[in-house]
């Protein structure tokens, strides 16, 4: 197995001089050296062939001992120096101080095809940042992270990626519902891959400690490597950097809203500086469209990270990043300007995205009103988001609402209780569709052309919460086939795949209140 090693983070930024693996506050350093823990019986369960190729490896590498050893943590790659990053963060609105990679260890950076990738093990043991936890991860959360990273990428959502999923052979104690019923689960390691895993919190920790030297070093490093259009080392450049981060973050959130993804823990330590979806924990997919839904039981009270709040939470997080970067710009004005524009830009991009979902190629002022009405309609009775938008493309613009519900057939499939859609509610839907059909008549494209376009933004297949859970339940019993089946299907989420039609279905009733399907916790 030959990787083209090109380390930069641990070469260009400050190292923690203490090499002991003891838990501590780490000052004036961007990272601490950390060696992955040796798994007792590593077992490779799944590899993303695309990521294998992306980092410059071949099919036969996947079957090598070296691959298993490196990506389960058993062996360190020659001439590399694995490390855990130091970062802080605001958790659920409060400053939490130093957090850091408590169970993530960056192995190395590789370059292939002119692209740089950081390889990072998640769940490979403790680091100086593990605080009171064990540095490990369980199979359940690792399957979820591995599958969802790859699925999101293929949906066109900016995201970190996942190369591999392994069992460690060790048992890990977890209290899933934090109710005193801890149980042993299988330990697992995922190898995550991204150009960088730097988070808002990496900047925040230096700013909080008034460590100007390292704040500047980290910012200049980030700009030089990942923001080619921004000038490093100047106040104007730092402001421009902030603007670019805000733009990337905004674009990412619009994609989340488009596909119905709820992150669940948008703390500033879980916000990638590159605008990538990062840290797949208690995330979830909207099944019944519900703007107040959050998958995270830890967030059930305040619902801070509910579906419809993701834009404003991103803005709140950007404000915290701005508070850190102001130490470099020494001027709040340019940063404030970026924040002030965010809301309007969000509305504009959100509307543009929804127009695409509805199949409008042109812009009309009344679209916003129609979108708002639709969002309300979708919540009158439980309506599956994915099925609704996918099947909307089947409605002909020449349909006649006067003929009652027959033309609504494809939409009926999206309702969890179609029998409820009668009388007043049916009238409301017909009224909305009246406007919608008239609006479609203003577009100069045929039903077929519109369907093709709509099918590029409205996925047919997403990783519904219960699907991941089925794969987990099987994997727990030693059957890993569903992991690959879902992985393969989710590579082409916008295609019709007749053999996978069974996955284009509403969530089954058994999954409605099941742990792992509708209720997820941070315990992973
Ligand atoms: P999260 O909410 O999962 O993003 O984690 C917040 C912080 O807790 C991060 O610093 C993580 O590295 C750390 N953390 C989460 N789980 C563990 C674990 N099992 N062992 C050590 N650190 C952890
Ligand atoms: Mg995290």
């Amino acid at each position: 197995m030959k990787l083209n090693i090109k380390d930069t983070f641990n070469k260009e930024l400050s190292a923690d001089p203490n090499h002991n693996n003891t838990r501590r506050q780490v000052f004036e350093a961007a990272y601490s050296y950390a060696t992955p823990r040796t798994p007792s019986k590593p077992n490779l369960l799944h590899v993303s062939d695309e990521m294998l190729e992306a980092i410059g490896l071949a099919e036969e590498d996947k079957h090598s001992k070296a691959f298993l050893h490196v990506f389960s943590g058993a062996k360190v790659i020659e001439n590399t120096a694995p490390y855990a990053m130091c970062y802080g963060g605001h958790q659920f609105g409060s400053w939490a101080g130093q957090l850091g990679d408590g169970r993530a260890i960056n192995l190395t950076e590789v370059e292939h095809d002119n692209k740089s990738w950081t390889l990072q093990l998640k769940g490979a043991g403790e680091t100086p940042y593990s605080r009171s936890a064990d540095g490990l991860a369980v199979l359940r959360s690792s399957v979820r992270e591995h599958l969802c990273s790859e699925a999101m990428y293929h949906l066109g959502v900016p995201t970190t990626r996942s190369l591999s999923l392994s069992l460690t052979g060790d048992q890990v104690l977890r209290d899933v519902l934090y109710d005193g019923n801890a149980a042993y689960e299988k330990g697992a390691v995922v190898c995550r891959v991204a150009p960088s895993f730097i988070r808002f919190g990496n900047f925040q920790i230096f700013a909080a400690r008034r460590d100007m030297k390292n704040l500047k070093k980290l910012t200049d490093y980030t700009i030089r490597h990942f923001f080619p259009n921004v000038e490093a080392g100047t106040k104007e450049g730092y402001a421009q950097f902030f603007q670019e981060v805000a733009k990337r973050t905004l674009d990412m959130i619009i994609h989340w809203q488009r596909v119905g993804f709820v992150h669940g823990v948008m703390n500033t330590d879980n916000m990638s500086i590159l605008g990538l979806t990062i840290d797949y924990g208690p995330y979830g997919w909207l099944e019944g469209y519900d703007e107040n839904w959050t998958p995270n039981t830890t967030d059930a009270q305040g619902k801070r990270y509910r579906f419809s709040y993701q834009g404003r939470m991103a803005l709140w997080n950007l404000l915290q990043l701005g508070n850190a970067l102001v130490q470099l710009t020494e001027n709040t004005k340019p940063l404030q300007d970026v924040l002030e524009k965010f809301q309007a830009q969000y509305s504009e991009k959100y509307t543009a995205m929804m127009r695409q979902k509805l199949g409008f190629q042109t812009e009309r002022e009344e679209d916003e009103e129609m979108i708002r009405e639709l969002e309300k309609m979708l919540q009158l009775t439980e309506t599956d988001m994915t099925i609704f938008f996918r099947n909307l493309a089947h409605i002909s613009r020449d349909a006649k609402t006067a003929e009652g519900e027959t033309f609504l057939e494809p939409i009926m499939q999206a309702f969890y209780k179609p029998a409820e859609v009668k009388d007043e509610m049916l009238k409301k839907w017909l009224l909305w569709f009246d406007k919608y059909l008239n609006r479609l008549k203003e577009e100069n494209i045929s039903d077929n052309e519109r369907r093709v376009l709509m099918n590029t933004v409205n996925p047919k297949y997403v990783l519904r919460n219960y699907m991941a859970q089925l794969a987990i339940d099987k994997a727990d019993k030693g059957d890993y086939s569903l992991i690959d089946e879902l992985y393969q299907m989710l590579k082409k989420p916008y295609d019709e795949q007749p053999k996978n039609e069974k996955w284009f279905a509403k969530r089954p009733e058994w999954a409605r209140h099941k742990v792992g399907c509708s209720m997820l916790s941070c315990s992973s």
Side-chain angles (χ1 to χ4, degrees), residues 87 100 122 192 199 265 269-270 278-279:
Y87 55 78
K122 181 167 175 180
R192 309 199 287 191
R199 302 140 191 268
V265 210
D269 53 305
N270 290 339
I278 194 172
D279 278 12

Side-chain angles (χ1 to χ4, degrees), residues 170-187:
D170 300 304
Q171 297 286 304
V172 175
L173 193 61
R174 286 291 180 268
D175 184 355
V176 179
L177 292 179
Y178 301 121
D179 59 1
N181 290 310
Y184 279 101
E185 299 185 45
K186 291 181 184 176

Side-chain angles (χ1 to χ4, degrees), residues 87 91 99-100 102-103 130-131 133-136 174 269-270 279:
Y87 55 78
Q91 297 183 312
L99 297 167
R103 56 163 168 181
S130 297
R131 298 179 293 152
D134 56 12
L136 304 174
R174 286 291 180 268
D269 53 305
N270 290 339
D279 278 12

